[in-house]
Amino acid sequence: MDIYNALKTYFGYNEFKDGQKKLILGALKGNDVLGIMPTGGGKSLCYQLPAVLLDGLTLVVSPLISLMKDQVDSLNELGISSTYINSTLNDNELNYRFQEIRKGKYKIIYVAPERLNTYSFNNLVRDIKISMIAIDEAHCISQWGHDFRPSYTEIPRFINSMPNRPIIVAYTATATNLIIEEIKELLELRNPVESIIGFDRPNLFYQVVKVSNKMSYVIDYIKNNFMEESGIIYCATRITAESVTEKLNQQGFNAVAYHGGMNPSIRQQNQDDFIFNKVQIIVATNAFGMGIDKPDVRFVIHYNMPQNMEAYYQEAGRAGRDGEPSYCTLLYSSSDIVKQKLLIQNCTFSEQRENILYENLQYLVDYCNTNDCLRAKILEYFGETSEASNCNNCGNCLDNSEMVDITLEAQKILSCIYRVQERFGVSAIIQVLRGSKNKKVLEFGLDKVSTYGIMKEYSESTVREIIMTLISKGYILVTTDKFPVLRLSKKSVDVLKGNEKVYHKRHLLELKSPSKEKDNHASSSELFDEELFLKLKELRYSISQEKGMAPFMIFHDSTLKEMATYFPQSKAAMLTIKGVGLKKFETYGDFFLDVITEYCDKSQINPIEKIVEVALKNNDDINNATNDRYKRTYELYQQNLTLKEIAEQRNFTVNTIIEHLSKCMKNGQTIDWSRFIDNPEKEDKILSAINKAGIEKLKSIKEMLPEEICYEDIKIVIAKNKLR
Ligand code: ADP
């Protein structure tokens, strides 16, 4: 069987996702493999598919034993016979499984790392042929990561003790360069075929929300947007998790808690109920989640700010593994920063590690305070640059709120930092600016500095908000000491001299709670028949109850939505639906066909007409939305505004405006680019750099040019000379 055949037969898919094919072929050719893919990128299929095609067995090492049963159940549903070995089995069960394994009943065995070097497992391994070892969540081997599991260090010893070294494939979603190197070294991967897929998760909407009452925001947000759909709420402490759960239940939601302080069996039950869609919301500490592969989590709310970007991205990333639009919200409050700092202070880390932790925390604080694209900020953390400067699918890119000039306020704050000789932290600076009579202020004689009281009329939170924004924009630096101090950056000089203006969103300065509804989000063109979708969901739920399985193990939401879009009424038509493989069709196909056929008859739906209608509407929606966007930018261009002025009015970056105008030019409108080039010499320099470096790599072009020439200049020259 070839790989495409296996993909359709077992998994029901026609195409590979990014990176999958390379890694699968790598393993099938006998190479080691290292796959770094974002959550939802399809890592499991990368080792499950070769496991089916290789002769012999595949061992999958995975850190979370509580999930193994689900993973194995899902595989058996797909027709891939699998089992697991971990400490939840008693001796009889274990012996029985060993016998079955020896008889060759299974293709895949999930195993907990603690089991690998046990006497009985070693004996078993000697008697059977193991072709491949897949190491899931490979970053757990790294002491630098936040998920370090000592038992992972057992893996290399186990591999080295095997008479024939199998193919080793390692997968993870979280890995900075440092961790990637460590994985390769510690797992002793031999010339692995590598694939590092971009970290972007285009189906996830990100937003940071600053509200005074978090609980009432959460209640309204879920009521308005997610009455039926599953979601996770992450809290910093067990107490908060308990109290949020209680308040949600008082409001009529169906929520359970999950944290380290609970009775383990209740906790497991809560997790199962969430996975099986018996409860809608799980309110958890960071103890919840690694390896949870519930694909239809539609929202993740961070009630408190986590420790760093890596942790945030991993937790938020549990939304939308199935690729459907899903929503990640971080509720920001400055008291959370203080809490996180205390946590760092109270641990006995080395100074070096402490500094790293402070730096990582600061990155997340900057994320919360930036006005720029949130997606770009996340990607930047992982060392990626995003192509477009406006993703159109995050709170900032879709926020049309008015921007106000805060240059004067910024100058006052920066001068104050200068006047107190860059020796104080945020709170002290605020107190000085607001003319506080606080004992410390007086003790240090700060009431004598010239900036004392120059922002009296501003509230404490407004001054703090502006300071945070200045930090995130790089005008203020924060030291990584225990008591962080504010310093001026090189960039701040331009603001102080009045050469550069600073803007901020008006509503954030007035600190009113923004009301962001799901309707404001970039909607995917979801055009399925809602009624049929609900019927199919009901059918799925009743089958899942009968079989004692989670509904998504039968079919994912995305598969049911496709059915409710294309109304398949025969086996052949059903097999074209994404997520319907041969084995699944044999088990469930007829039940679903019956519901669809009955629905079409009753509602007199002609599937062909429906499909044409969907296709046309899809096209129109996309064209209308984008054309409208470019049109508004073009109108401002016609008013003779500069790029910066257009960007300010549209609340986009200059980069995005250049992209819009380039699109207008492509559509036949005339653009006089020379309006945006201030001197012809600059253009010549850029052109000659492009000549040398080629047009593809903007970074290489930029590196050949003097510093004052920016990316925007290069893009303008490219557009003017129609080089693309
Ligand atoms: P990860 O482990 O990388 O987070 P999973 O292995 O759980 O991701 O896969 C995420 C989702 O993508 C699953 O619902 C899976 O069925 C689906 N998937 C995997 N490969 C494909 C593919 N080639 N086409 C469509 N969907 C896929």
Coordinates of all heavy atoms in Angstrom, one line a residue, residues 634 660-671 673 718-720 722:
Y634 N -7.3 53.0 -0.8 CA -7.0 53.8 -2.0 C -7.6 55.2 -2.0 O -7.1 56.2 -2.4 CB -7.6 53.0 -3.2 CG -7.1 53.6 -4.6 CD1 -5.8 53.5 -4.9 CD2 -8.0 54.2 -5.4 CE1 -5.3 54.0 -6.2 CE2 -7.6 54.8 -6.6 CZ -6.2 54.6 -7.0 OH -5.8 55.1 -8.2
H660 N -1.6 46.9 0.6 CA -2.9 47.3 0.0 C -2.7 48.0 -1.3 O -3.4 47.7 -2.3 CB -3.7 48.2 1.0 CG -4.2 47.5 2.1 ND1 -5.1 48.1 3.0 CD2 -4.1 46.2 2.6 CE1 -5.4 47.2 4.0 NE2 -4.8 46.1 3.7
L661 N -1.8 49.0 -1.3 CA -1.7 49.7 -2.6 C -1.1 48.9 -3.7 O -1.5 49.0 -4.9 CB -0.8 51.0 -2.3 CG -1.4 52.0 -1.4 CD1 -0.4 53.2 -1.1 CD2 -2.7 52.6 -2.0
S662 N -0.2 47.9 -3.3 CA 0.3 47.0 -4.4 C -0.9 46.2 -5.0 O -0.9 46.0 -6.2 CB 1.3 46.0 -3.8 OG 2.3 46.7 -3.2
K663 N -1.8 45.8 -4.1 CA -2.9 45.1 -4.6 C -3.8 45.9 -5.5 O -4.2 45.5 -6.6 CB -3.8 44.6 -3.5 CG -3.2 43.4 -2.7 CD -3.6 42.1 -3.4 CE -2.8 40.9 -3.0 NZ -2.2 40.8 -1.7
C664 N -4.0 47.2 -5.1 CA -4.7 48.1 -6.0 C -4.1 48.3 -7.4 O -4.7 48.3 -8.4 CB -4.8 49.5 -5.3 SG -5.7 49.5 -3.8
M665 N -2.7 48.3 -7.3 CA -2.0 48.5 -8.6 C -2.3 47.2 -9.5 O -2.5 47.3 -10.7 CB -0.5 48.6 -8.3 CG 0.3 49.0 -9.6 SD 1.9 49.5 -9.1 CE 2.7 48.0 -8.7
K666 N -2.2 46.1 -8.8 CA -2.5 44.8 -9.6 C -3.9 44.8 -10.2 O -4.1 44.3 -11.2 CB -2.3 43.6 -8.6 CG -1.2 42.8 -8.9 CD -1.3 41.5 -8.1 CE 0.0 40.7 -8.1 NZ 0.1 39.8 -7.0
N667 N -4.8 45.4 -9.4 CA -6.2 45.5 -9.9 C -6.4 46.6 -11.0 O -7.5 46.9 -11.3 CB -7.2 45.7 -8.8 CG -7.2 44.5 -7.9 OD1 -6.8 43.4 -8.2 ND2 -7.7 44.7 -6.6
G668 N -5.3 47.2 -11.4 CA -5.4 48.2 -12.5 C -5.5 49.6 -12.1 O -5.6 50.5 -12.9
Q669 N -5.4 49.9 -10.8 CA -5.5 51.3 -10.4 C -4.1 51.9 -10.4 O -3.1 51.2 -10.2 CB -6.0 51.4 -8.9 CG -7.5 51.3 -8.9 CD -8.1 50.8 -7.6 OE1 -7.5 49.9 -7.0 NE2 -9.2 51.4 -7.2
T670 N -4.0 53.2 -10.7 CA -2.6 53.8 -10.8 C -2.1 54.3 -9.5 O -2.9 54.9 -8.7 CB -2.6 55.0 -11.8 OG1 -3.8 55.7 -11.7 CG2 -2.3 54.6 -13.2
I671 N -0.9 54.0 -9.2 CA -0.3 54.4 -8.0 C 1.0 55.1 -8.3 O 1.9 54.5 -9.1 CB 0.1 53.2 -7.0 CG1 -1.1 52.3 -6.8 CG2 0.7 53.7 -5.7 CD1 -2.1 52.8 -5.8
W673 N 4.2 55.7 -7.0 CA 5.0 55.4 -5.9 C 6.1 56.4 -5.6 O 6.6 56.5 -4.4 CB 5.7 54.0 -6.1 CG 4.7 52.9 -6.1 CD1 4.2 52.2 -7.2 CD2 4.2 52.2 -5.0 NE1 3.4 51.2 -6.9 CE2 3.3 51.2 -5.5 CE3 4.3 52.4 -3.6 CZ2 2.6 50.4 -4.6 CZ3 3.5 51.6 -2.8 CH2 2.7 50.6 -3.3
I718 N 10.5 48.1 -4.7 CA 10.1 46.9 -5.4 C 8.7 47.2 -6.2 O 8.6 46.8 -7.3 CB 9.9 45.7 -4.5 CG1 11.3 45.3 -4.0 CG2 9.3 44.5 -5.1 CD1 11.3 44.2 -2.9
A719 N 7.8 47.8 -5.4 CA 6.5 48.0 -6.0 C 6.6 49.0 -7.2 O 6.0 48.8 -8.3 CB 5.5 48.5 -5.0
K720 N 7.3 50.1 -7.0 CA 7.5 51.1 -8.0 C 8.0 50.6 -9.3 O 7.6 50.9 -10.4 CB 8.4 52.3 -7.5 CG 8.6 53.3 -8.5 CD 9.4 54.5 -8.0 CE 9.6 55.5 -9.1 NZ 11.0 55.6 -9.5
K722 N 7.9 47.6 -10.2 CA 7.2 46.4 -10.6 C 8.1 45.1 -10.7 O 8.2 44.4 -11.7 CB 6.5 46.6 -12.0 CG 5.5 47.7 -12.0 CD 4.6 47.5 -13.2 CE 3.5 48.5 -13.2 NZ 3.8 49.9 -13.6

